[in-house]
Amino acid sequence: MTRSLLPTATPPQTWAAIRAEFARLPGLSAAAAALLIAASAAGLVAPWVLGRLVDDVIAGTGAGRIAYWAAVIAAAALAGGALTAAATAAAARLGETVLARLRERVLDRALHLPSATLERTGTGDLVSRIGDDATVVASAITASGPLVVSAALSVILTAGGLFALDWRLGLAGLAAAPGYAFALRWYLPRSAPYYVKERVASGERTQALAGALRGAATARAYRIEKTHVAHVAACSATTRDLTLEVFQIYTRLVARINRAELIGLAAVLIAGFLLVREQMATVGAATAAALYFHRLFNPIGMLLLESDTVLQAGASLARLVGVASLPAAPAAAGTDPAVTGGDLEVVVAEHHYDEGPVVLADITLRLAAGSRVALVGASGAGKSTLAALAAGIVAPTHGTVRLGGVPLGELGEVRTRQRIALISQEVHVFAGPLRDDLRLGRPDASDDELLGALELVGATGWLRALPGGLDTHVGEGGHRLTPAQAQQLALARLVLADPEVAVLDEATAEAGSSGARELERAADAATAGRTTLIVAHRLTQAATADRVLVLDRGRIVEEGSPDDLQRAGGRYSELWAAWNG
Amino acid sequence: MLRPALRRQRGRLTAGVAFLCLHQAAEAMVPVTIGVVIDRAVATSDTGALLLSLAALILLFTVLSLAWRFGARFSTAAKEHEAHLARVGIAERALDPRGQRSGLRDGELLSVAASDADRSAAAIRTAGAAAAACTALLVSAAALVMVDPWLGAGVLVGVPLVLMALQRLAPLLTRRSEAQQASLAGTSALAVDLVAGLRVLRGVGAQHHAAGRFAAASHDALADTLRAATTKGLHLGLTSTVNGLLLAAVTGAAGWLALNGQITVGELVAVVGLAQFIAEPVQTLGWCVQSLATARASARRVAKVLHAAPTVRPGTESAPPPACERLVLTDLRYGTLTGLNLRISAGETVGIVAYDPRDAEALLAVLAGTVPREDYQGTVRIDGVPAESLRLAESRQVVLVEPHDVALFEGTLRDNLAAGAAGDDDTLMAAVRVAAAEDVLHNHGLDQVLTERGANLSGGQRQRVALARAVAAAPPVLVLHDPTTAVDAVTEALIAERLTTARREPPQATVVVTGSPALLRATDRVLVLDDGRIRAEGTHDDLVAAEPTYREAVLR
């Protein structure tokens, strides 16, 4: 499964997107740039002053001169401090605002991904972009960003200072540049694959641990605890060894950086020596140059050591910008096609996924407004596919789905979703307060409306037992709801969203028989008065429907009222007999 | 917790610390050497002195570079090895056959194994860094005092004082940045959660509301981040101002001494360089204190898991020869159970219908051997011997409880099925047939790969694979809990028939706790568990005819 259908931005596109964001904040961008440069420049004063002071000491000037120079350093320190504070704050405001806008846009585009794209890509790639990539970029901007920017500026300005002092000393300092470049070119191609391997290995280690912990009861029952511990130990050892190997490479990068530092420092000292001997520069200038260069050690080292982070952040950024540059969801503007009544009509000559085999053929399904139709059939008969077609999640390969006479293609995705709701087998409880989860169905719902919806689906009992009522934190990391409760929650969301048509393909299976019966009642209550298509996983659901369709290998083989079918002695009555044991 | 770790890594740690100290000493000598070069060579234009001092510089950098390389490698190795040991130890405790009483949930255990193991082991590296920083301070102090005792004393007292004062800001900084990290992590978790539930959102057309909810959370996170950034900016600005002022003072004083001829120009350079340099080790020490505090908290959490007491205290006896009645429960009182009696013989299949699910849970927990003896009353006898006197491996070999909450593992179908049996492929294939799970074989047969938790299978397939696994293990007493809830009616009937046949030859006992009529009809007898004890017994058909409550409970 290597196909990734979500776009990744090219470097020029990424740059353009970032520049456009900066351009939206012109004042802040300019202020941040100016402050950063000024703050770095203030840092150059001290070494320069020191050089002048050395010359004055050698010339034997008065103590007043010394006091003057000390005062200059102090003044530069005060100005530099204020500038640093302001520059850091401004740069953070700029970077963080851009980041926040980017992540909001990425999530907005991700959530509004057209159904067709989503069905093909699945949510895996999206989740990893929204989760991992966004975290990598955020931590690069928040933690490394200010350091890298100020290090880069101070390298540029210090190098400038070195040249301003004496261009020959500046040239000597440049002797270190090939060494640094060589170190980086040596390091990056070696480390990058290791970091990838290390991430994969540590993912596997977490997975091994999580799998073992989750399956602890089973491992005990089958007495295979040792196998799982050994698996965890092996994964952990692999990660440890990779970490140590990549660290070895890192230490060798540091050694190369040290070498470049030595070459640069020696070159500056030798140049200073020669210039002083030929009386082309003062001892003070040579001193200042050496001190300038010594000052470069930390920022250059930092830039090289952060190069991985910067590259990784760049790659993640490209993946985020790729999602952000998807077209925005079309608003439900324009003329609303005249939908008359809540009749749903599904006509499918043939349907298949990609180049796969035909999964549905010769289907004609009409649901009169307010009626209730059940789909019955063995697993793999095409029930869920037909449900997805009827809900307009998937467009039939050959065929049309009409709501109130209007093809769903003309109605558009947004309006379709407002009118037809689908509860699929995928169950998800959104992490956070229960109230927020329910309000996804209707954001402006009052607490009374929320409680009303919960009561309708029979959730009042367990709601009362929740520690904080509607404020209870549910989902990941919170109060764990049982599968049946999660399903009731899904039905409550449906009640709040209040669509004309409801398509239910929910799994009641995990609930056990008594729970399943409660869920059936909840589904009946939630869909009362709506045009309803229900995939009957339990035959009792079919028994209460107005009409039953029996699907077999993608075709309708029986159709009629449940009572007629039961008497008819066909497939449905066979199923019914098996079901009742 | 930390002390044994330090003891275990003694060798690596000693070598690491020695090299790191050497490295810091060499770093301290860099500004001093620059001063010497200026003094002896540049100011005097003495070529011999230049060559000599350059040679010294090369030697210094060689020592510096090699010392760091080996020091860092040794101390990192010590840390990584220790974290690995802690992780394996945690896994061992979490999977202990006897259970463990740490009271932590899976998620918490995972986070202890993932982050706390690392953080507590990081204490080893911190200890090395602290020792090295102390060395750097000592070397700098010696160099400064040799230049001028009073100036040296001033720098040595002044710099740490100033830095300690700055350190007082650290708690505020930490608080702000923790708040920022928490709200960022929260935003990221919210985004991931919303996208993970995207299909559900789309089902009710709620994407737009979800995007709005995220935008609000993102705004809040931005506000927190900006607050933290302002504090950080102030701290940086203050640090740079204070360092600058300190430099001004040192430069003034050293310049005055140089002017009066008390120190040379080179010494002036060295003093100024050292004054800037010692900020580093002092800051490192401050960081070490904080990092040790974090490590201690993490080490406590790791120790809590490693030293957790086992839940049950198993016996030491081996399994007795098979008795006719393989499993006998007498007057069992545990949880909601109020005096349950149960006798299971070899070769029979017994259905249990529990009107209250809590009764079923309690019974299954006792049968699985995960309940401490002192927590339940009555007796559980396996082949006539009290269960608690047997070794766990022996009692679980006789009685296998396959939980309803199916847990499959990453690996091949064969690995999963063979979990409880060293069975050959024929045995496994036969078990697959009993569970009517042939559809899982696809094109790959037993080599079919299951992803984490068997996520690439449907719920029904997972349930049937688990059933096949239990059948393949062929335990003398097999206990199943709602094994076919996700299976369609026709397949369920097929499973009921094949399962009872498979378990009859050789004669093995099977207990099915279920409400499914298809399964119950296939059993030899059905026990009705109500109000904590067995209330009725009979065949499925008799009970359907005689008991209205039973009819209500199992007919759908």
Side-chain angles (χ1 to χ4, degrees), chain B residues 257-481:
Chain B
L257 287 173
L259 193 66
N260 291 349
Q262 280 165 287
I263 63 174
T264 67
V265 168
E267 282 168 339
L268 163 67
V269 173
V271 168
V272 172
L274 281 173
Q276 284 184 295
F277 171 75
I278 63 169
E280 269 179 50
V282 172
Q283 269 163 349
T284 305
L285 282 178
W287 168 82
C288 286
V289 172
Q290 278 181 14
S291 146
L292 276 178
T294 324
R296 249 202 310 274
S298 285
R300 262 199 300 277
R301 279 189 288 272
V302 172
K304 189 176 169 193
V305 178
L306 291 183
H307 300 150
T311 312
V312 294
R313 260 172 302 142
T316 51
E317 285 175 35
S318 306
C324 177
E325 285 187 324
R326 307 288 322 232
L327 182 63
V328 178
L329 274 55
T330 319
D331 198 27
L332 178 68
R333 292 161 192 276
Y334 170 65
T336 53
L337 299 179
T338 53
L340 178 131
N341 292 294
L342 186 65
R343 289 166 180 278
I344 308 290
S345 304
E348 68 170 341
T349 303
V350 179
I352 295 182
V353 175
Y355 291 167
D356 182 347
R358 287 174 301 173
D359 287 346
E361 295 292 343
L363 172 62
L364 289 161
V366 173
L367 291 181
T370 54
V371 180
R373 181 65 189 93
E374 60 272 22
D375 286 5
Y376 68 86
Q377 282 119 46
T379 54
V380 177
R381 285 173 185 276
I382 295 174
D383 287 329
V385 178
E388 66 272 15
S389 64
L390 293 173
R391 283 203 289 271
L392 270 182
E394 311 257 353
S395 58
R396 286 183 185 156
Q397 191 161 15
V398 179
V399 181
L400 171 66
V401 179
E402 171 67 50
H404 170 62
D405 214 356
V406 171
L408 297 180
F409 300 103
E410 204 177 351
T412 63
L413 183 58
R414 181 181 288 104
D415 292 344
N416 272 284
L417 292 176
D424 49 37
D425 279 7
D426 292 342
T427 318
L428 301 185
M429 289 302 282
V432 167
R433 212 187 88 78
V434 170
E438 290 96 335
D439 56 324
V440 183
L441 299 168
H442 275 311
N443 321 326
H444 303 286
L446 292 172
D447 294 319
Q448 172 71 29
V449 173
L450 308 195
T451 55
E452 194 195 357
R453 282 196 276 175
N456 56 338
L457 303 183
S458 73
Q461 288 177 322
R462 277 198 292 273
Q463 214 170 33
R464 283 174 287 137
V465 170
L467 179 60
R469 171 174 69 189
V471 171
V477 180
L478 174 60
V479 182
L480 300 168
H481 185 201

Side-chain angles (χ1 to χ4, degrees), chain A residues 155-346:
Chain A
V155 168
I156 295 169
L157 288 175
T158 309
L162 206 53
F163 272 95
L165 202 61
D166 190 307
W167 63 272
R168 289 155 297 202
L169 288 171
L171 275 185
L174 272 187
Y180 284 121
F182 165 72
L184 206 56
R185 282 195 48 178
W186 176 87
Y187 176 64
L188 287 178
R190 278 174 183 75
S191 68
Y194 265 105
Y195 281 120
V196 173
K197 267 196 262 178
E198 195 193 2
R199 262 205 309 282
V200 172
S202 93
E204 272 168 14
R205 183 185 72 195
T206 309
Q207 223 171 69
L209 256 169
L213 291 176
R214 234 182 268 120
T218 303
R220 287 194 186 107
Y222 287 93
R223 307 181 308 284
I224 47 171
E225 302 94 342
K226 283 209 177 73
T227 323
H228 284 283
V229 172
H231 181 51
V232 170
C235 287
S236 171
T238 310
T239 318
R240 174 200 63 197
D241 295 344
L242 277 170
T243 305
L244 291 179
E245 274 173 63
V246 76
F247 189 73
Q248 291 232 352
I249 299 181
Y250 177 82
T251 57
R252 291 172 66 190
L253 167 69
V254 173
R256 281 164 174 75
I257 294 176
N258 289 155
R259 206 179 301 159
E261 287 168 350
L262 171 64
I263 293 171
L265 185 57
V268 168
L269 285 172
I270 293 171
F273 172 84
L274 294 173
L275 289 172
V276 170
R277 196 180 63 186
E278 306 304 321
Q279 295 189 332
M280 292 162 83
T282 62
V283 175
T287 307
L291 290 179
Y292 269 148
F293 198 80
H294 190 221
R295 267 175 56 90
L296 279 176
F297 283 12
N298 279 338
I300 291 186
M302 143 91 74
L303 281 181
L304 298 192
L305 300 181
E306 290 285 331
S307 56
D308 280 316
T309 319
V310 172
L311 285 182
Q312 268 174 32
S316 289
L317 192 61
R319 283 154 56 79
L320 287 182
V321 170
V323 177
S325 58
L326 288 170
T335 50
D336 199 341
V339 177
T340 46
D343 289 5
L344 185 71
E345 187 191 58
V346 186

Side-chain angles (χ1 to χ4, degrees), chain A residues 456-457 514 516-526:
Chain A
L456 188 66
V457 298
S514 60
R517 222 171 300 149
E518 269 171 44
L519 275 179
E520 274 169 41
R521 275 197 287 273
D524 286 350

